[in-house]
């Protein structure tokens, strides 16, 4: 069984920084794209950042210049470095990965349980 495990969320003051991490807890064969999503109360889930297996990245306009997504393929881990945090960044952040548990299967999407990020003074 594969489970995405997230860490790094918490309470931070405006202008502060947090670093989120996500990695599968079980055995996997390969990971393709990975990304971070977030959902604030009363709003729809939105894509924050995305990174391909080749390292190409994409960001939501609201976080460009402040957030950085990266991955460590040796550890099967994706990171989200969040700087200059604003109150509007407050949300539950979810990790997403498209991966194969074993050879000869179609890659499927997996999600983490979510980690709360609260930006407040």
């Amino acid at each position: 069984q594969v489970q995405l495990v997230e860490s790094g969320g918490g309470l931070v003051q405006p202008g502060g920084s947090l670093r989120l991490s996500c990695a599968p807890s079980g055995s996997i064969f390969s990971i393709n794209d990975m990304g971070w999503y977030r959902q604030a109360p009363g709003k729809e889930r939105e894509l924050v950042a995305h990174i391909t297996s080749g390292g190409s990245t994409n960001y939501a306009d609201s976080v460009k210049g402040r957030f950085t997504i990266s991955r460590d393929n040796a550890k099967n881990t994706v990171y989200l470095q969040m700087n200059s945090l604003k109150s509007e960044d407050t949300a539950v952040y979810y990790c997403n990965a498209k991966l194969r548990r074993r050879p000869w299967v179609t890659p499927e999407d997996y999600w983490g349980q979510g980690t709360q990020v609260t930006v407040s003074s």
Side-chain angles (χ1 to χ4, degrees):
Q1 297 182 353
V2 175
Q3 179 181 357
L4 297 183
V5 181
E6 302 159 325
S7 63
L11 175 65
V12 65
Q13 294 183 344
S17 299
L18 286 174
R19 184 179 178 86
L20 306 182
S21 300
C22 172
S25 63
S27 178
I28 59 98
F29 176 72
S30 64
I31 300 179
N32 296 79
D33 292 6
M34 305 185 79
W36 289 95
Y37 293 73
R38 69 185 181 187
Q39 186 169 21
K43 296 185 177 181
E44 297 182 351
R45 185 175 299 187
E46 64 174 346
L47 175 67
V48 176
H50 171 262
I51 185 168
T52 69
S53 60
S56 179
T57 59
N58 180 261
Y59 299 91
D61 289 340
S62 60
V63 306
K64 287 182 179 178
R66 300 188 297 119
F67 291 11
T68 302
I69 187 172
S70 62
R71 62 192 293 168
D72 184 339
N73 291 333
K75 297 181 178 180
N76 293 322
T77 301
V78 63
Y79 305 94
L80 184 67
Q81 179 67 46
M82 304 184 293
N83 298 327
S84 302
L85 284 163
K86 306 174 181 179
S87 60
E88 51 262 44
D89 295 318
T90 297
V92 176
Y93 284 70
Y94 297 90
C95 175
N96 170 259
K98 188 174 184 180
L99 59 83
R100 296 179 180 181
R101 294 180 60 195
R102 55 182 176 84
W104 319 122
V105 301
T106 301
E108 297 179 333
D109 283 332
Y110 288 80
W111 292 87
Q113 294 297 310
T115 183
Q116 177 69 47
V117 172
T118 302
V119 185
S120 177
S121 60

